[in-house]
Amino acid sequence: MSVKEKKVPPKLNKYMHARNPYRTPPSFKKLASVYPEFRPYCSYDVGGKVHLDFKDPKALRALTTCLLHQDFDLKVTIPDDRLVPTLPLRLNYLLWIEDLLMHAAHCETSDVIVGVDIGTGASCVYPLLAARKLGWNLVATETDNINFTAATTNVNNNDLQDNIIVKKVDDKTVLQGVLDDADIQKQMYLKKKEVNDNNDDDDDDDDDDDDEVMSELNNTPSDTPCKHTDGDDNKSMKYMFDFTMCNPPFFSSEEETDSMKKSKKQRGEPISSPTGCIHEKVTTGGEVTFITQMVEESHKFKSKVRVVEYKRLITTIIVCCSSINNNNNNNNSTIYNCV
Ligand code: SAH
């Protein structure tokens, strides 16, 4: 091998998806040579090796935004006090979803994939990566005004408005008002149709079909399957979101964030400093309440979004959350697959 690959330490590599490009860590030296904004956060040892202070949120922000640009051609701005996403982990989650779609929901690689990212954050990181790397379409929801504005700007600055809809939502809702939003359904339906109807040249009939389907969509209660979903024509696709995903706020109070910091100290200091403001970390009732609501709303909408003939499911992946059943006593990362 002519170029020696620097591998991720075994402990981290164990959790890295096989298709994750960051199994091979990025070169800070290269990044510093290309991005002047990254340089101020680098220190050099006597051997010329570049080091980064992971405890400095500004250094983390520079690392993430420079990597997004270098590796995904994404121009992303993250406001000062907002959560800075760690790219290897965010990519992992998307790749797990891709696995689920391919293997559990039998999607073809040519299918138009539509997902929902609940709580997209200022960076809008999952939708941007999903659109740019995987060609998916996302509805990104956000309750926080600053994050909503920043996420919208990030989508626009990357010309991904055709692939990503950013929607401001009420904090009392998770999926309600999103999966049943008539405008969203219409846009996503038309997107799926565009590809699926490529070989269909009967445009007039299509327009009539669209009107009929949209009218039915708007008038069908969320827990009732639309009649078209039982048919075997292309109309079935319009009811379907392929997945929902969420990196939920973890804590029920600011005090709880402090107590978690203390328990982390007992387990050993984390490598990087936590970033993000209180709205991004705290939600009424904590993650258990949030996830319970998400599960209930997923169940409520399952008939509306499930498309039997395409064998696709609405799949909710909830990342990095403790078990619902044992009320926060277990901090292992868990994936819940709610159908
Ligand atoms: N997805 C991003 C941000 C996660 S932080 C990332 O992984 O980096 C959680 C985000 O969820 C915050 O931005 C918060 O404002 C938002 N949020 C909290 N409750 C929400 C709700 N009910 N619906 C949508 N977004 C919500």
Side-chain angles (χ1 to χ4, degrees):
M1 207 166 39
S2 56
V3 179
K4 272 193 191 161
E5 283 198 344
K6 190 172 58 163
K7 290 289 177 196
V8 179
K11 197 175 158 202
L12 280 180
N13 215 353
K14 197 172 125 191
Y15 300 106
M16 211 65 89
H17 192 285
R19 294 194 302 282
N20 195 322
Y22 295 120
R23 281 174 79 86
T24 303
S27 159
F28 292 166
K29 200 172 197 168
K30 184 177 160 213
L31 214 55
S33 72
V34 177
Y35 294 94
E37 65 270 38
F38 183 63
R39 274 175 228 152
Y41 307 108
C42 296
S43 57
Y44 299 80
D45 63 23
V46 284
K49 192 173 171 199
V50 178
H51 297 270
L52 195 67
D53 179 5
F54 286 95
K55 302 284 180 212
D56 178 357
K58 286 184 185 156
L60 296 178
R61 189 176 310 112
L63 175 63
T64 290
T65 53
C66 293
L67 285 176
L68 280 166
H69 189 257
Q70 177 189 258
D71 298 337
F72 303 98
D73 196 21
L74 287 166
K75 296 174 288 253
V76 173
T77 304
I78 305 171
D80 275 358
D81 58 343
R82 302 291 145 155
L83 186 76
V84 178
T86 317
L87 292 192
L89 298 179
R90 299 306 189 273
L91 277 166
N92 260 2
Y93 302 144
L94 288 173
L95 292 166
W96 288 338
I97 292 172
E98 191 181 37
D99 286 346
L100 281 172
L101 290 175
M102 295 306 157
H103 300 298
H106 304 289
C107 289
E108 304 290 333
T109 45
S110 58
D111 288 347
V112 178
I113 301 292
V114 175
V116 182
D117 176 30
I118 300 151
T120 202
S123 62
C124 203
V125 64
Y126 286 123
L128 289 176
L129 285 173
R132 187 52 57 81
K133 185 173 162 60
L134 303 165
W136 295 350
N137 303 280
L138 270 291
V139 178
T141 72
E142 187 47 64
T143 49
D144 180 75
N145 277 327
I146 292 177
N147 286 356
F148 168 72
T149 305
T152 306
T153 304
N154 282 327
V155 171
N156 294 344
N157 286 346
N158 289 286
D159 289 326
L160 285 168
Q161 302 93 313
D162 272 0
N163 297 76
I164 302 169
I165 300 170
V166 186
K167 184 173 168 62
K168 176 84 170 55
V169 293
D170 191 274
D171 64 1
K172 292 186 181 52
T173 186
V174 177
L175 294 169
Q176 184 109 36
V178 181
L179 296 187
D180 53 348
D181 180 297
D183 282 344
I184 287 177
Q185 289 182 82
K186 182 169 186 179
Q187 283 186 60
M188 291 309 170
Y189 156 60
L190 292 174
K191 191 155 269 301
K192 291 200 172 215
K193 184 178 184 310
E194 202 179 283
V195 172
N196 280 281
D197 281 2
N198 259 351
N199 299 325
D200 187 349
D201 47 11
D202 192 356
D203 288 339
D204 291 344
D205 279 1
D206 275 2
D207 289 345
D208 290 346
D209 280 355
D210 290 349
D211 289 345
E212 186 195 333
V213 167
M214 291 322 299
S215 151
E216 190 187 342
L217 263 174
N218 293 335
N219 294 319
T220 305
S222 56
D223 56 352
T224 309
C226 295
K227 67 176 172 8
H228 289 312
T229 56
D230 294 322
D232 60 358
D233 59 21
N234 276 346
K235 289 176 186 171
S236 56
M237 65 197 174
K238 64 197 60 75
Y239 303 101
M240 201 247 317
F241 291 90
D242 298 283
F243 66 90
T244 68
M245 66 183 299
C246 181
N247 185 7
F250 294 117
F251 304 107
S252 59
S253 67
E254 202 161 348
E255 296 73 57
E256 200 186 24
T257 65
D258 287 341
S259 67
M260 286 301 280
K261 269 185 222 151
K262 279 175 204 139
S263 81
K264 272 184 181 166
K265 271 193 180 135
Q266 282 156 15
R267 285 185 279 136
E269 278 283 325
I271 298 168
S272 56
S273 123
T275 57
C277 70
I278 200 73
H279 313 292
E280 296 174 306
K281 297 177 199 163
V282 171
T283 182
T284 312
E287 62 179 332
V288 173
T289 302
F290 192 95
I291 290 162
T292 304
Q293 183 178 348
M294 194 169 170
V295 169
E296 283 166 5
E297 290 186 20
S298 293
H299 182 69
K300 182 173 174 195
F301 282 104
K302 72 175 195 291
S303 301
K304 184 118 175 158
V305 295
R306 187 170 180 161
V307 180
V308 177
E309 58 268 39
Y310 281 84
K311 295 189 176 63
R312 291 178 187 165
L313 314 172
I314 178 165
T315 303
T316 295
I317 293 188
I318 299 167
V319 292
C320 283
C321 54
S322 58
S323 162
I324 292 176
N325 291 333
N326 61 10
N327 230 2
N328 268 342
N329 290 331
N330 174 356
N331 288 317
N332 292 331
S333 290
T334 314
I335 297 175
Y336 299 105
N337 187 358
C338 316
V339 179

